[in-house]
Amino acid sequence: MKTDDLIRAMAADTGRRSMPMDTAWRLAGVLAFVLAGAVFLVALGPRPDALASLETARFVFKFVVTLALVASAFALVRALARPGGGGGSLLAWLAVPPLLLVVAVALELFAVPASEWMTRLVGVNSQVCLTFIPLIGAAPLGVFLLALRHGAPTRPRLSGAVAGLVAGGLAAAFYAAHCPDDSPLFVATWYSLAIAGLAAVGALAAPLVARW
């Protein structure tokens, strides 16, 4: 069977499934949010000064960059879940969160004395960050992998990696409400490592879970 014929057959099979793909992804998004929120509230909860910290740019930025990752990666993984879906221009939107981090880090280096750079990068909560972002994101990643199974991704490793980015971004957004380290230097280092771990798990698991 030619590649084009195979993709058309997969698309027809996907279209015959009981739940439309868009509906499946909307439900997956809601369920992932609920599960991540539940784990966060049980395991950590927001830091005591979270509401007051909303008046500070560094604290708010953590939500801006993590939610930008969620939005861009979620749109991309939905496209990749369709037969023959390559993401197209949606791939470019994944560059937005890293660019935001680059700008924020540059501003931080300009505003903070060099003697404080390492202190802000290391922070006080790096081990907690590396533990709880994957923990909060594990269930959402499972949900997104099952949503991929509902579709027919032709690039399962890429699809799984992007699913991991969605789960990681969502987990990081919740964790940001607890994290006492607000410096972009910390976020760019430890949040990125934790999210990358989930992306790696997604890339390894997707060919097994979302096979067709």
Side-chain angles (χ1 to χ4, degrees), residues 75-194:
L76 178 57
V77 76
R78 288 179 61 180
L80 290 170
R82 298 183 180 279
S89 62
L90 292 174
L91 278 168
W93 286 101
L94 274 185
V96 171
L99 287 175
L100 289 173
L101 279 176
V102 168
V103 171
V105 166
L107 292 174
E108 183 84 335
L109 294 177
F110 178 79
V112 175
S115 59
E116 296 183 20
W117 290 354
M118 187 56 64
T119 300
R120 290 180 179 243
L121 186 151
V122 175
V124 298
N125 236 30
S126 59
Q127 293 302 313
V128 176
C129 174
L130 291 176
T131 300
F132 279 95
I133 288 180
L135 181 63
I136 296 168
L141 176 57
V143 170
F144 293 135
L145 290 175
L146 290 176
L148 281 175
R149 187 181 181 92
H150 186 79
T154 53
R155 302 167 72 183
R157 289 196 184 278
L158 175 60
S159 302
V162 177
L165 291 178
V166 184
L170 181 62
F174 275 105
Y175 175 75
H178 170 84
C179 180
D181 297 295
D182 295 340
S183 172
L185 293 169
F186 184 92
V187 174
T189 303
W190 305 107
Y191 282 43
S192 297
L193 285 173

